[in-house]
Amino acid sequence: AIVITEQPVSVSVPVGYSFTLRCRAEARTSLQYQWFCQCQSARCQIPGATKQDLPITAQQTQLYTCRINDLYRNAVFSDWVKVEVHPCVARGLIPQLWQGEPVIVLNPTEQKVEVGKPLQLQCAAIGVPAPRYQWYWNGNLLEHQKKKKLWINHTRISDSGTYLCCASNSHGEHWTNAVDIHVGSETLPPAEHLQLCHLFLLATGKIALLVGNNRYQHHPNLMAPVTDVFELSLLLKQLGFQVVSLLD
């Protein structure tokens, strides 16, 4: 049997970036390698790509796989991997000593959406391996929103809030900007607008709730939350706030 011990991995890179796809396998006989790319709906052999490593200078988004065969004509294929190329990524967006950690190259934008209309938020990141995505709404993880695009077919008022996305791979994680999404009518009727202004003028009490989270299930403990809460509490009290401070 031919056993693949190292599968190639998908990457997301700027145009012109040079890297290497790797594939490793073991068997009782010597092995031969052949790389393929996807041409339309067919698998096309790459001439001369007969080594374990495939050097690539990224030009366009493409799919790749590697075939490994032994002396007895047994053959297996590696997983298909995607080389996603971002042609519009400026060099200044990439850290000088980039090691493949996620770098956000497209942030979502703030939107106002009418009730019942679709909502689409989009982000993108480069990374080696290709980043995974996870969207959040008002700080809550959205279980089924794990792609670059967040899509809600029919929005409700309850979909309003702050959205952001985390791009992560084995080298680290990076967060997009947080954006506010408003679902509802564009403006308030004049009567309601005046009522809100009146309530705002009557509101004299100022209360601040500070929550310092230090212990995370999937993240190393932070160093500063206790100090941050203490310092912010003093500052807000000087500004006339009643302060409630909580930890973890």
Side-chain angles (χ1 to χ4, degrees):
I2 302 172
V3 178
I4 296 179
T5 57
E6 182 179 352
Q7 293 277 4
V9 296
S10 296
V11 301
S12 180
V13 295
V15 66
Y17 184 79
S18 297
F19 63 98
T20 300
L21 290 179
R22 293 166 49 89
C23 185
R24 299 289 187 273
E26 293 179 351
R28 293 186 177 182
T29 70
S30 59
L31 297 173
Q32 297 175 329
Y33 293 78
Q34 177 62 59
W35 288 89
F36 294 79
C37 64
Q38 186 181 41
C39 302
Q40 296 179 351
S41 59
R43 186 167 47 198
C44 301
Q45 183 172 306
I46 303 174
T50 57
K51 297 183 178 180
Q52 295 174 319
D53 296 340
L54 177 65
I56 294 177
T57 299
Q59 296 299 328
Q60 62 180 1
T61 298
Q62 187 66 275
L63 297 176
Y64 294 88
T65 186
C66 185
R67 183 190 67 202
I68 307 105
N69 59 275
D70 62 15
L71 299 180
Y72 302 106
R73 297 186 179 180
N74 299 312
V76 295
F77 280 89
S78 72
D79 297 337
W80 280 99
V81 294
K82 183 178 183 179
V83 174
E84 183 180 28
V85 179
H86 296 270
C88 300
V89 176
R91 295 190 175 211
L93 289 174
I94 305 173
Q96 192 171 9
L97 300 176
W98 189 49
Q99 299 296 316
E101 66 275 12
V103 176
I104 302 296
V105 296
L106 177 64
N107 278 288
T109 57
E110 294 188 1
Q111 298 181 40
K112 292 184 177 180
V113 185
E114 292 184 18
V115 175
K117 298 292 185 180
L119 168 65
Q120 177 178 290
L121 295 175
Q122 187 172 357
C123 71
I126 57 173
V128 181
R132 302 178 299 275
Y133 295 91
Q134 178 61 65
W135 286 89
Y136 292 80
W137 167 76
N138 290 342
N140 300 307
L141 184 147
L142 297 173
E143 186 66 33
H144 302 294
Q145 300 289 357
K146 298 179 181 292
K147 298 181 179 180
K148 288 186 293 184
K149 292 182 179 179
L150 177 148
W151 181 263
I152 299 176
N153 287 322
H154 303 286
T155 55
R156 299 171 295 179
I157 293 178
S158 59
D159 292 319
S160 297
T162 303
Y163 290 79
L164 76 165
C165 185
C166 177
S168 63
N169 64 11
S170 55
H171 296 291
E173 64 183 28
H174 205 127
W175 295 76
T176 67
N177 295 337
V179 295
D180 292 327
I181 303 300
H182 174 74
V183 180
S185 57
E186 292 292 327
T187 58
L188 288 171
E192 294 184 21
H193 181 75
L194 289 173
Q195 185 178 11
L196 281 177
C197 292
H198 182 63
L199 288 173
F200 178 77
L201 291 172
L202 290 177
T204 56
K206 296 186 293 184
I207 302 175
L209 171 64
L210 300 179
V211 181
N213 287 323
N214 180 54
R215 298 177 183 176
Y216 290 87
Q217 186 176 358
H218 301 294
H219 194 282
N221 288 349
L222 304 179
M223 299 298 294
V226 175
T227 304
D228 290 345
V229 168
F230 178 75
E231 293 181 352
L232 281 173
S233 177
L234 291 179
L235 177 62
L236 289 169
K237 286 178 181 178
Q238 292 174 6
L239 295 174
F241 281 82
Q242 299 178 45
V243 180
V244 178
S245 300
L246 303 173
L247 293 175
D248 296 325

